[in-house]
């Protein structure tokens, strides 16, 4: 493999072999460090199994802030610090219950409140159901929706190769389905979980009432894909059936929380800052090992590897563990705001927030010229089976960052399994493969290294 | 994605757009069929959960023959038939037991007999232990090995990116460790499981006494990686400790079994045969869902897809479900022998025997000119995130096949998780992701299509 790679380099690059060869050696050292000396898996074990879910504003989220700060302090970085940020606090309350009421039959189905939803009345909500497959369909139904529970049942489409595309074409049902149905007098919404497979896990996730007056807010919950299939089938048999659900979630006052930042000072242009990060908060149904414990520990690992290899970056490199990506992105916004206040010049930001699966490549937010340049590095990544360089979204946390000129990138892991776990009770540590996680960390570190050396 | 791909085609191929475009459409139809109409996952569910392990010569192996034959018969192929093959029958017997005897302390550890091993004496075997890290090391130790249990403890190396390379550098301890140690008078061998992670699963697999006289055969077993770590640690504390293990495995007389073959007759050159296959047998500790239930159903799925798309192949295309890859390759040898007897002209053989994980590419056994040709098809696979075309091993089952000229290829799935499950009790259906399995089937079908259209 190495030999082939080197031959390819010689063929494609002619005289520039010396510098490429040193890059090749550096990437080899990075991957080797990740695979043989990695700490990320142990960090994630602690975050997942000793701390647990890290919903913004929860005690666990604060424990995660303190734990990751303390771990970063062991790495010998130049600076580790916290950034204060006020975050929303939404609490789920007692476990939700739901059933299909078909005549005298009650068939229980697994649901969970969507983040930001209001509670049902204390005794729960019982109403007839109308199944729809899009928000647009509400227009046609109009007044027929009054007093009804709207059941959004458009599945994620299997034929998309990248599952995030299937998600993108479905998630409006979850994020704004309640707001839109409420406008027609619906009393609640039930949304098919954003999950490509059929199983019994309801998947939570954020939703927003937007500028709808609070008096019009209606409770909304996700139903497992098996539950959705069953409800749809039962509705065909008996369009008069009713659905019952009960949830006691509540939006509390905002609370103080933190972004966690660790820094390696640049040796040549320390005023230029490069960020690598993920988000420390998670949903509350599981450990959030993939979303985004993986991104957190991979970002920490990037700095551990650079330190262990005694790499002196030209630019300042920061790991940023953002708070509150899931339901507000307050950490991302705060980080960007402080960067502007402090007149910091961010030149690059790299995020991992697509799960800890085998890395396949990156998506770059950059211009065509830059993309051509980054694409010329692909040969260096081939021995590590990283092939997919595309233009696209970098990440939600780094989204608000702006500078005179900044390149953003997102790690692209294999996406096939992501929505099996996303925001569900099975997003736990046992769904993480150590090597896949480590290869992702090495891939990120390699891009940071190349950006630092020749990206700017 | 599609747009980018098409632009790339236009840029790279200029005038040849029409024919490429029809290939593009065909691949799109293949992937769509696999992802939305696939039967492979249900077939594998049945093989794994209704039949279970399929060790050669077992009743389950025969059930699998009948089941897959019956399923192939539902696909409307031109011919479905069995090929008789005599296979070895090795039975594990009662569950193995083992402990470290450290003074009066007995610490139980998880082991399993290696395939083809003899039993221990009925009361088990208790002996002092010598830890080694290679077969070569035996030479140095020489007579010190007499009466000892040799403990092979060289781990799979984490820094290999492809885990099959790590396996290749380790598996001699399992396959010939007992034979070699017996030559020095050792009484048994215990081999660290071929597994990159630390866990409690012992991994079985084949071993051979070669031409060693039967009187010198010694029992051999695999120990879990955690068990190996513990044994090594305890040996450092007390080099005099003893190891006990008991296993009652037995080699029986050969029994009659079958390869299962389904065929689509070629419309232009039916005398040219293309094979797609996997192996129907599995080890006996689990369902063998990855090894090689996945390859079996992906190969069946290839023919289902071609039929469903009403594709009329130029060449004859056969699915072959080989018997006895794990401990003899009798099915592969018999298929090749019959091909020669019947003067069949095999032009291409494609195997899937590396797990049902996200497909990454193929390894080709072919000459340089052919490899350049196949590599020119890579652009067609890019929308499906298939990038890795390399020269290398096709597969064990198709290994014995020879013809005037034959190209062989193996599907290369992501290898990171493979050795978590390989030959162990956790190689079960729940470790299969439906989409990953289906993408592998579509990738194989696409290569078959291209080979049929322009490969020969």
């Amino acid at each position: 493999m190495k030999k082939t790679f080197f031959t390819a380099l010689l063929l494609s690059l002619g005289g520039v072999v010396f510098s490429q060869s040193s890059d090749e050696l550096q990437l080899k050292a990075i991957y080797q460090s990740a695979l043989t000396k990695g700490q990320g898996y142990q960090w994630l074990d602690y975050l997942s199994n000793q701390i647990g879910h890290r919903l913004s504003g929860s005690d666990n989220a604060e424990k995660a802030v303190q734990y990751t700060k303390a771990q970063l302090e062991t790495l010998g970085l130049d600076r580790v610090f916290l950034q204060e940020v006020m975050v929303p606090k939404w609490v789920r309350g007692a476990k939700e219950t739901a059933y299909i009421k078909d005549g005298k039959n009650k068939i229980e189905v697994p649901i969970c409140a969507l983040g930001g939803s209001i509670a049902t009345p204390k005794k729960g909500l019982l109403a007839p159901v109308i199944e729809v497959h899009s928000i647009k369909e509400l227009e046609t139904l109009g007044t027929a929706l009054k007093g009804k529970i709207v059941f959004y049942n458009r599945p994620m489409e299997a034929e998309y190769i990248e599952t995030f595309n299937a998600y993108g074409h479905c998630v409006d049902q979850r994020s704004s389905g309640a707001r839109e149905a409420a406008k027609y007098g619906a009393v609640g919404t039930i949304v098919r979980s954003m999950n490509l497979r059929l199983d019994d896990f309801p998947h939570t996730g954020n939703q927003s009432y937007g500028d709808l007056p609070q008096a019009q807010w209606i409770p909304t919950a996700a139903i497992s894909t098996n539950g959705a299939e069953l409800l749809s089938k039962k509705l065909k048999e008996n369009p008069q059936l009713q659905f019952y659900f009960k949830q006691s979630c509540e939006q509390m006052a905002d609370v103080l929380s933190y972004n966690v930042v660790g820094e390696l000072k640049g040796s040549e242009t320390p005023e230029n800052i490069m960020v690598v990060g993920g988000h420390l908060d998670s949903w509350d149904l599981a450990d959030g090992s993939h979303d985004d414990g993986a991104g957190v520990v991979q970002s920490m690992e990037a700095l551990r590897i650079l330190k262990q290899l005694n790499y002196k970056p030209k630019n300042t490199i920061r790991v940023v563990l953002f708070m509150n990506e899931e339901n507000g992105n307050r950490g991302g916004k705060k980080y960007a705001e402080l960067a502007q206040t402090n007149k910091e010049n961010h030149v690059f930001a790299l995020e991992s927030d697509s799960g800890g699966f085998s890395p396949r490549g990156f998506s770059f937010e950059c211009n065509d010229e830059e993309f051509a340049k980054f694409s010329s590095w692909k040969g260096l990544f081939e021995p590590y089976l990283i092939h997919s360089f595309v233009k696209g979204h970098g990440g939600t946390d780094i989204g608000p960052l702006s500078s005179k000129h900044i390149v953003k990138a997102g790690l692209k892991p294999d996406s096939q399994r992501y929505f099996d776990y996303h925001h569900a009770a099975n997003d736990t540590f046992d769904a993480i493969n150590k090597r896949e996680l480590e290869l992702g960390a090495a891939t990120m570190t390699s891009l940071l290294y190349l950006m630092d050396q020749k990206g700017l």
Side-chain angles (χ1 to χ4, degrees), chain A:
Chain A
M1 176 69 67
K2 208 177 105 186
K3 202 170 160 191
T4 317
F5 171 65
F6 208 78
T7 311
L9 269 181
L10 282 168
L11 287 172
S12 64
L13 296 167
V16 208
V17 171
F18 266 111
S19 112
Q20 285 289 338
S21 177
S22 86
D23 290 338
E24 189 201 2
L25 291 174
Q26 191 67 27
L27 262 63
K28 188 174 176 177
I30 287 169
Y31 277 88
Q32 193 160 30
S33 175
L35 288 168
T36 63
K37 297 189 172 68
Q39 286 192 28
Y41 191 68
Q42 290 91 316
W43 284 329
L44 187 54
D45 187 1
Y46 192 94
L47 271 180
S48 297
N49 292 321
Q50 300 303 315
I51 295 177
H53 88 70
R54 302 171 295 281
L55 189 55
S56 290
S58 66
D59 289 350
N60 282 355
E62 293 319 295
K63 285 182 196 166
V65 165
Q66 298 307 325
Y67 171 69
T68 50
K69 177 170 178 279
Q71 290 302 310
L72 287 176
E73 282 166 348
T74 67
L75 298 183
L77 306 178
D78 297 309
R79 196 156 72 114
V80 176
F81 59 98
L82 301 181
Q83 290 181 333
E84 293 190 351
V85 52
M86 294 301 292
V87 296
K89 178 173 181 169
W90 177 84
V91 293
R92 183 171 300 279
K95 187 165 165 51
E96 304 84 345
T97 54
Y99 54 78
I100 299 164
K101 189 166 184 296
D102 184 9
K104 284 180 182 170
N105 276 346
K106 292 179 183 178
I107 312 170
E108 284 191 30
V109 286
I111 66 150
C112 67
L114 290 178
S117 175
I118 59 168
T120 56
K122 275 195 180 157
K123 290 190 172 171
L125 176 67
L126 180 71
V129 181
I130 292 192
E131 177 176 340
V132 299
H133 291 82
S134 70
I135 288 173
K136 202 169 161 42
E137 211 178 320
L138 303 179
E139 278 176 42
T140 321
L141 292 161
T143 52
L145 298 168
K146 198 170 164 61
K148 303 280 172 40
I149 290 173
V150 171
F151 166 38
Y152 289 101
N153 193 29
R154 184 167 86 258
M156 285 174 77
E157 288 172 75
E159 57 260 54
Y160 286 103
I161 304 301
E162 299 262 23
T163 60
F164 284 93
N165 290 337
Y167 181 66
H169 281 84
C170 250
V171 71
D172 63 323
Q173 301 174 101
R174 186 196 81 203
S175 55
S176 51
R179 174 172 75 229
E180 297 306 320
K183 292 176 184 170
Y184 294 93
V187 294
T189 69
I190 296 293
V191 185
R192 182 188 182 102
S193 284
M194 302 294 124
N195 179 3
L196 278 148
R197 65 179 187 181
L198 293 175
D199 65 28
D200 297 319
F201 294 103
H203 292 227
T204 191
N206 208 30
Q207 72 89 32
S208 164
Y209 297 114
D211 52 8
L212 199 70
Q214 196 163 349
Q216 291 180 42
W217 293 5
I218 59 176
T220 177
I223 187 169
S224 72
T225 47
N226 276 338
E229 292 285 301
L230 180 69
L231 178 54
S232 182
K233 175 169 169 274
K234 290 287 173 190
L235 269 171
K236 281 183 190 73
E237 292 165 12
N238 174 15
Q240 268 68 54
L241 67 71
Q242 293 181 296
F243 192 85
Y244 169 88
F245 70 117
K246 182 178 164 184
Q247 56 192 33
S248 54
C249 40
E250 199 177 348
Q251 194 73 43
M252 322 290 275
D254 287 1
V255 302
L256 179 63
S257 188
Y258 306 91
N259 293 328
V260 182
V261 187
E263 185 176 283
L264 271 177
K265 198 83 177 172
S267 59
E268 293 183 15
T269 48
E271 69 280 10
N272 291 345
I273 301 173
M274 300 170 57
V275 162
V276 58
H279 65 84
L280 203 43
D281 64 305
S282 78
W283 279 106
D284 60 330
L285 296 175
D287 309 328
S289 287
H290 278 294
D291 187 10
D292 183 28
V296 163
V297 302
Q298 287 172 326
S299 301
M300 293 168 69
E301 182 69 4
L303 270 75
R304 185 203 66 76
I305 293 169
L306 294 177
K307 272 304 278 186
Q308 188 234 315
L309 298 179
N310 205 23
Y311 178 70
K312 310 288 184 206
K314 295 179 179 178
N315 307 285
T316 294
I317 298 184
R318 279 192 192 156
V319 52
V320 184
L321 313 179
F322 296 92
M323 184 53 70
N324 185 230
E325 188 269 351
E326 293 294 3
N327 55 342
N329 202 23
R330 299 273 187 91
K333 289 173 190 162
K334 173 59 79 172
Y335 184 83
E337 181 192 315
L338 287 172
Q340 199 153 29
T341 306
N342 299 330
K343 299 193 165 54
E344 292 174 346
N345 184 38
H346 282 75
V347 294
F348 178 57
L350 171 61
E351 180 155 352
S352 166
D353 186 19
S354 304
F357 306 98
S358 271
R360 305 294 301 265
F362 300 101
S363 58
F364 291 96
E365 279 183 51
C366 63
N367 64 38
D368 288 345
E369 196 185 337
E370 288 161 335
F371 185 65
K373 182 180 188 173
F374 307 148
S375 297
S376 75
W377 303 342
K378 276 172 83 168
L380 285 165
F381 284 94
E382 270 189 25
Y384 309 101
L385 305 177
I386 306 299
H387 303 95
S388 185
F389 283 36
V390 297
K391 288 185 76 167
H393 180 59
T396 301
D397 294 288
I398 59 177
L401 251 186
S402 68
S403 265
K404 269 178 299 179
H405 186 74
I406 182 168
V407 167
K408 298 176 188 175
L411 179 71
K412 279 172 66 75
D414 195 290
S415 76
Q416 300 311 321
R417 286 173 285 147
Y418 190 62
F419 291 96
D420 293 356
Y421 307 117
H422 185 241
H423 299 177
N426 57 343
D427 183 4
T428 49
F429 187 66
D430 61 305
I432 297 283
N433 176 278
K434 182 171 179 282
R435 290 179 58 85
E436 293 185 352
L437 183 78
E438 290 168 346
L439 287 168
T443 303
M444 294 170 77
T445 312
S446 297
L447 183 61
L448 272 178
Y449 160 76
L450 290 168
M451 282 286 178
D452 186 53
Q453 285 291 315
K454 51 181 73 171
L456 305 168

